[in-house]
Amino acid sequence: MTIIELKNITKRYNNTPAVENLSFTVEEGEIFAILGPSGCGKTTTLRLIAGFDMPDDGELVLAGKTVADKGVFVPAEKRKVGMVFQDYALFPHITVRENIAFGLKNLDDKEKDAIVENMLQFVGLSGLEERHPFHLSGGQQQRVALARALAPCPVTVLLDEPFSNLDADMRTQMREEMIKILRKSGTTAILVTHDQEEAFAMADRVAVMNNGRMEQLGTPEEVYHYPTTGFVADFVGKADFIDGTIEADGIRTEIGLFPNNTRLEIGEKVQVMIRPDDIEIEPAGTGCAVIKDQQFKGSEVLYTLELPREKYIHSVLPSTRTLPAGTRVDVKARPVHLVAFQNGKAVSEKS
Amino acid sequence: MGQSRIFAILSTVVVTMALIPLAYLLWRTAGAGTGVVDILLDARTFRILMNSVLLAAIVTALSAVIAVPLAFFTVRTDLPGKRFWSIATALPLTVPSYVGSFIIISAIGPKGSIIQNLLMPLGIERLPSIYGLPGAVLAMTLFTYPYILLTVRSSLQNLDPALEEASRNLGYSQKETFFKVTLPHLRPSIAAGGLLVALYTLSDFGTPSLMRFDSFTRAIYIQYQSSFDRTAAAVLALMLVALALTILALEFRAMGKASYFGSSAATRRPPSVIELGKWRLPALMFTASVVGAALVFPMAVIGYWLVRASFTDEFIRGLLQLTVNSIYVSGLAAAVAVLAALPVVIYAVRYPGRFSTLLERMTYLGSGLPGIVVALSLVFFGANFATSLYQTISMLIFAYVVLFLPKAVGTIRTSMLQINPRLEEAARSLGSGSLETLQKVTLPLVRPGLVNGAALVFLTTIKELPATLILAPIGFRTLATRIWSATDDALFAEAAAMALLLILASGIFMSIILKQEAQ
Ligand SMILES: Nc1ncnc2c1ncn2[C@@H]1O[C@H](COP(=O)(O)OP(=O)(O)OP(=O)(O)O)[C@@H](O)[C@H]1O
Ligand SMILES: [Mg+2]
């Protein structure tokens, strides 16, 4: 069943669109990520769904009911949409227990207590219920925020950069825990983030946004391996683009010939996307590239390679062997899937 | 090392001097022996205590009732003319309490007032008295409610809109959200503002004395003037100090809580605007009537007296002299207070430690000392130990600095805390000596704080009444003391002229401070 449906939603602030013509659907139980750079309209999208802002155009359907359209606007408190705010927005004047119970209306105290007890156990906070939010660590606050949002059984939960206030260690741990909690409760969720790793690790599908518009929508694998635009290719992982020409036997580039999976005519120019993990290098006196720089990253080494026509590309290799800068090397590209672009749009066919 | 010692010594000197009045009062009372107990147990003492507490409680409650809706209207709603109202509702704070009392007495007082003049043709010679509790409550409430207004307003502005959104999101309407989230959030700031009003009401001398209401400050003054045994005055003064310091302690707790509630690191959206709808007219009428009573009415009363009056040249020359006197002592007090505050702040902020923090905290004691108490103590002290300073401008300035040092320390501290200590370290690493760093980096950066602090002390001093009344050299009068005595003598037209000058001077300085804060 479709839980959330956006149809051509537009929201403008002072006549500049923050979100433009946005359409997507989220299915029941799905974890959906919105990924994009700062200012691309992620928070705006969530606020429109939650009902804090009114769209200027378009229609919004929640669990089969139109909540925003021309002449229709269901206020936030009637939407049953849970939200985990970026800085959690826990009520400082009441305890953890009261925070979690806050959204439980029309229930007697016994029922409330039972639900709160349940939620506390669910998110692993038992024993902290009488504390006030400011006596909790960042990770604990976040769990309270999640419990508070989940307690009234919302139709969906919206998470706005929920991990951005946590340090790196905590972030990975909370990410795993949150996934577990969301999956276990079968919650439909939208996660907003500007960290592609986070989106990939958590979501069933990812929508990549740029400048208020959706650039691409797909599974993490699709978005990573088959980016449809140059922006997506670049944003979801490190990518180099090298010039190529369509020839009879394939796409000719400086680092070799690639199979032609486009429908372009011979002689047309394209840019071929190469990810650093697609590039292998081998020291060779006759090699076409020179190592300009190498960065040791622990388990891997990132090499910057200079090609004859002064173009740089990157390669990531296991750090079991490191090559010093200045080494001349042979470059072999083995892309899992080759994607060629023309004018910033993918022209390759999916295999 | 050397620098920290210099600041330690300077701060200790400042704080010790600031503690003289309180210490002397304690010492003096302790030396009075069993007489103290008699005074404490006296029925009259009890009545004075009850009077003071009652006045403070009523004024605080009424102020909250006026100020909380005003704060809400002017910050969060679509009240028409919001910007204008938000300034206009805060302005009554510039009206000193004795001016407020003058306005009420000269407008609706029993004899010689505007209303009585108007009713004269009907043969009415005397109106019912407004003296006593009703007059005191009226005068205090109308001009002190802005304390609550300002604290509540800043707390409303600091309220993270996400909190209200979270509540909406969890199923509560706008109205329910107001009572479940917004109001609890405001509670500490209402408490903080309310305690300020209570403290101000208890310490104020002008209103009770003009309204002839026997609260502590009036009783102390009468005791001081009428008898040679000053023990009674000293005991009453100490009781008042105990009460005031208790409120001050509560105030600090409330303030701490208020700032805790407001803290949130993340970037914020502006708070949402609430549409008043059918409440627009009532809200507008409420706001307008408060501004009418606390701002327009005083102006109209002053205008009335000025239009009717004809002043002699001699009076106008005298007026000029009074204004010069007021500005002269206030300017001196501002300069000395800032100079005294600076080492305390630098020591506390740059060399944090138990001793420096203790010294800084001690300066705040001054804000719990009513002017009449400090003045009284310094009179005793001067008469016994510092006869050469007794009845000099220096003694007066000293009293001002004791009273208003906390304001200077508070303002300078805020601006000092905003300076990244890394900047000073950078200067040191670039070869500046410690004093050179102070002069080239710290002082220029803290300058807005110094200017603000000085302006604030100036503003408070120019309105100060009891210390000026008691400690000024014989024949040295200021606008404040003359307004007070003219009102008491029912010379309303003269009081009006001086009140206007005083309000103008305060208003100009207030707008300078507000402008600085806006930047
Ligand atoms: N209340 C507002 N008034 C005016 N402009 C706004 C408002 N809210 C958002 N915008 C603008 O809309 C655009 C999208 O903002 P939004 O907060 O949705 O971005 P975001 O993707 O969440 O960014 P970030 O990752 O930095 O949180 C931005 O250009 C922002 O400046
Ligand atoms: Mg955002």
Side-chain angles (χ1 to χ4, degrees), chain B residues 128-213:
Chain B
S129 167
I130 43 126
Y131 289 112
L133 188 62
V137 166
L138 188 61
M140 299 294 321
T141 308
L142 276 184
F143 306 102
T144 54
Y145 79 82
Y147 282 116
I148 301 184
L149 179 76
L150 294 178
T151 51
V152 172
R153 215 188 252 169
S154 91
S155 159
L156 266 177
Q157 276 154 347
N158 285 337
L159 173 64
D160 185 353
L163 289 179
E164 288 179 359
E165 286 170 0
S167 162
R168 297 296 296 278
N169 186 256
L170 291 163
Y172 292 91
S173 69
Q174 193 155 61
K175 206 159 130 204
E176 290 169 311
T177 298
F178 178 80
F179 287 104
K180 283 193 74 114
V181 175
T182 317
L183 205 55
H185 172 90
L186 295 183
R187 211 178 287 143
S189 61
I190 297 174
L195 288 165
L196 275 183
V197 170
L199 188 62
Y200 185 88
T201 310
L202 275 179
S203 319
D204 182 57
F205 168 74
T207 296
S209 66
L210 289 176
M211 289 293 180
R212 301 174 199 168
F213 180 67

Side-chain angles (χ1 to χ4, degrees), chain A residues 1-210:
Chain A
M1 183 188 159
T2 303
I3 297 291
I4 305 172
E5 182 168 14
L6 277 75
K7 297 183 193 164
N8 304 313
I9 293 279
T10 297
K11 173 72 190 174
R12 296 180 204 93
Y13 290 113
N14 317 320
N15 282 327
T16 35
V19 164
E20 205 173 3
N21 226 342
L22 192 64
S23 303
F24 60 80
T25 60
V26 181
E27 300 300 316
E28 188 167 4
E30 189 179 20
I31 297 180
F32 186 92
I34 300 180
L35 174 66
S38 185
C40 71
K42 306 181 295 287
T43 299
T44 306
T45 309
L46 288 198
R47 292 173 59 81
L48 290 168
I49 299 172
F52 301 137
D53 282 328
M54 209 182 288
D56 293 312
D57 248 317
E59 188 187 344
L60 179 64
V61 185
L62 286 182
K65 198 176 145 219
T66 298
V67 294
D69 196 358
K70 286 252 165 321
V72 181
F73 185 75
V74 177
E77 64 267 25
K78 299 265 160 60
R79 291 198 183 183
K80 291 179 128 289
V81 170
M83 180 129 177
V84 175
F85 290 82
Q86 184 163 358
D87 47 353
Y88 316 137
L90 297 178
F91 303 118
H93 61 287
I94 52 179
T95 60
V96 166
R97 171 192 300 283
E98 291 163 325
N99 261 285
I100 297 177
F102 196 92
L104 303 171
K105 300 172 84 176
N106 310 324
L107 293 179
D108 62 39
D109 284 351
K110 231 175 168 178
E111 291 170 305
K112 278 189 193 173
D113 281 350
I115 296 176
V116 171
E117 216 49 61
N118 219 339
M119 286 316 303
L120 282 165
Q121 260 178 22
F122 200 53
V123 299
L125 280 177
S126 302
L128 299 181
E129 53 267 41
E130 298 313 327
R131 291 213 200 162
H132 278 264
F134 39 81
H135 293 305
L136 298 178
S137 72
Q140 290 167 334
Q141 290 188 20
Q142 178 173 52
R143 273 177 275 191
V144 177
L146 184 62
R148 184 180 70 179
L150 290 178
C153 293
V155 292
T156 177
V157 173
L158 312 176
L159 307 139
D160 192 357
E161 313 230 9
F163 309 107
S164 61
N165 280 345
L166 303 176
D167 54 34
D169 279 355
M170 196 67 195
R171 204 174 294 177
T172 335
Q173 189 197 333
M174 281 309 296
R175 200 190 278 168
E176 282 165 17
E177 273 182 40
M178 188 169 285
I179 272 281
K180 239 185 264 166
I181 294 170
L182 291 175
R183 294 280 184 216
K184 206 158 83 181
S185 55
T187 309
T188 313
I190 298 188
L191 165 80
V192 152
T193 173
H194 58 249
D195 176 353
Q196 85 279 358
E197 220 180 283
E198 197 167 292
F200 290 166
M202 294 188 65
D204 300 311
R205 284 190 304 152
V206 178
V208 184
M209 282 183 73
N210 184 27

Side-chain angles (χ1 to χ4, degrees), chain B residues 118-130:
Chain B
L118 290 177
L119 296 178
M120 190 83 111
L122 303 176
I124 294 175
E125 297 283 331
R126 235 192 139 69
L127 294 176
S129 167
I130 43 126

Side-chain angles (χ1 to χ4, degrees), chain B residues 112-461:
Chain B
S113 67
I114 300 177
I115 302 286
Q116 196 257 326
N117 282 347
L118 290 177
L119 296 178
M120 190 83 111
L122 303 176
I124 294 175
E125 297 283 331
R126 235 192 139 69
L127 294 176
S129 167
I130 43 126
Y131 289 112
L133 188 62
V137 166
L138 188 61
M140 299 294 321
T141 308
L142 276 184
F143 306 102
T144 54
Y145 79 82
Y147 282 116
I148 301 184
L149 179 76
L150 294 178
T151 51
V152 172
R153 215 188 252 169
S154 91
S155 159
L156 266 177
Q157 276 154 347
N158 285 337
L159 173 64
D160 185 353
L163 289 179
E164 288 179 359
E165 286 170 0
S167 162
R168 297 296 296 278
N169 186 256
L170 291 163
Y172 292 91
S173 69
Q174 193 155 61
K175 206 159 130 204
E176 290 169 311
T177 298
F178 178 80
F179 287 104
K180 283 193 74 114
V181 175
T182 317
L183 205 55
H185 172 90
L186 295 183
R187 211 178 287 143
S189 61
I190 297 174
L195 288 165
L196 275 183
V197 170
L199 188 62
Y200 185 88
T201 310
L202 275 179
S203 319
D204 182 57
F205 168 74
T207 296
S209 66
L210 289 176
M211 289 293 180
R212 301 174 199 168
F213 180 67
D214 260 326
S215 72
F216 272 117
T217 52
R218 177 167 194 247
I220 292 169
Y221 186 69
I222 291 175
Q223 278 293 340
Y224 155 75
Q225 279 210 317
S226 60
S227 78
F228 282 103
D229 176 22
R230 284 165 174 177
T231 309
V235 172
L236 289 179
L238 265 186
M239 287 178 73
L240 176 55
V241 168
L243 206 56
L245 288 182
T246 311
I247 294 184
L248 190 68
L250 293 174
E251 165 73 16
F252 271 100
R253 267 189 43 188
M255 281 291 199
K257 245 191 189 159
S259 65
Y260 221 12
F261 273 29
S263 66
S264 163
T267 47
R268 298 240 189 79
R269 282 162 200 273
S272 62
V273 173
I274 291 167
E275 284 170 24
L276 282 167
K278 65 174 193 270
W279 290 100
R280 176 183 283 240
L281 192 62
L284 196 60
M285 276 164 56
F286 177 74
T287 311
S289 42
V290 173
V291 170
L295 204 62
V296 181
F297 165 66
M299 287 300 159
V301 171
I302 290 176
Y304 173 88
W305 291 114
L306 289 182
V307 168
R308 284 172 43 114
S310 57
F311 295 124
T312 59
D313 281 356
E314 195 194 0
F315 174 75
I316 290 174
R317 262 196 306 279
L319 214 53
L320 203 67
Q321 184 61 46
L322 289 176
T323 314
V324 170
N325 284 353
S326 283
I327 292 178
Y328 170 64
V329 287
S330 306
L332 268 179
V336 178
V338 165
L339 277 182
L342 194 59
V344 181
V345 175
I346 294 181
Y347 186 49
V349 173
R350 282 299 174 258
Y351 307 95
R354 248 192 234 155
F355 184 59
S356 60
T357 315
L358 179 75
L359 284 182
E360 195 212 351
R361 294 258 166 88
M362 302 264 262
T363 63
Y364 288 114
L365 277 180
S367 46
L369 294 183
I372 186 120
V373 173
V374 170
L376 191 73
S377 174
L378 287 180
V379 165
F380 299 161
F381 182 76
N384 291 324
F385 294 96
T387 33
S388 61
L389 288 178
Y390 187 52
Q391 297 246 319
T392 62
I393 294 281
S394 319
M395 192 62 130
L396 181 59
I397 301 295
F398 180 60
Y400 289 149
V401 173
V402 169
L403 286 171
F404 305 134
L405 186 66
K407 292 193 195 298
V409 169
T411 332
I412 299 172
R413 182 170 186 271
T414 311
S415 98
M416 185 88 188
L417 282 175
Q418 285 162 355
I419 304 175
N420 188 340
R422 300 291 96 74
L423 291 176
E424 292 173 359
E425 287 166 12
R428 299 295 293 273
S429 75
L430 294 168
S432 298
S434 52
L435 284 177
E436 199 184 347
T437 303
L438 181 71
Q439 180 203 344
K440 280 166 79 175
V441 179
T442 316
L443 286 182
L445 287 173
V446 85
R447 225 185 68 125
L450 299 181
V451 174
N452 256 347
L456 194 60
V457 174
F458 182 94
L459 188 63
T460 327
T461 309

